[in-house]
Amino acid sequence: MGGAGDSADMLPMKRYVAVWIGLLLIVAIEVALAYAHLPIGTLVASLLGLALLEAGVGLWYFMHLKYERRILLWSIILLVGVLLMMNQLWPDALRLRVMRQ
């Protein structure tokens, strides 16, 4: 079972282990920040930023979005388009809420 392709097969596993260790380091930083006595705004912003980074890395490597760049790009474009359209409708929704009161 020790063929020539075994070392090439181990490269992705080493990469996944390195990414996993990186994710553990991000969690350790989050725990350290939780025990540091930071102002609440700074704490929340830093924890949210680290959580987004952690989620992005997890999606990129473990859900294989790294290889789905085209569909990921279109998903982001469509998401931004939907959010822009919703932004046009929110003032009307707020106006109707005020009219009901």
Side-chain angles (χ1 to χ4, degrees):
M1 292 215 195
D6 286 342
S7 63
D9 293 340
M10 288 303 293
L11 180 63
M13 183 57 73
K14 288 181 183 178
R15 182 172 293 141
Y16 288 137
V17 170
V19 169
W20 181 67
I21 290 171
L23 291 173
L24 287 177
L25 288 174
I26 293 173
V27 169
I29 292 170
E30 289 173 342
V31 170
L33 284 174
Y35 284 107
H37 298 288
L38 298 173
I40 192 72
T42 305
L43 179 64
V44 169
S46 60
L47 288 177
L48 280 174
L50 286 171
L52 285 172
L53 175 68
E54 191 174 6
V57 170
L59 289 170
W60 192 253
Y61 282 99
F62 294 116
M63 294 189 71
H64 307 287
L65 290 182
K66 181 178 179 179
Y67 305 108
E68 301 289 339
R69 289 186 178 160
R70 176 185 266 170
I71 191 71
L72 184 64
L73 177 66
W74 278 107
S75 297
I76 291 172
I77 290 171
L78 290 173
L79 175 67
V80 169
V82 167
L83 289 175
L84 287 174
M85 286 188 282
M86 288 176 65
N87 192 33
Q88 299 299 317
L89 298 174
W90 286 333
D92 286 338
L94 293 174
R95 181 182 57 85
L96 289 174
R97 186 182 67 165
V98 170
M99 290 174 61
R100 288 184 191 155
Q101 292 176 358

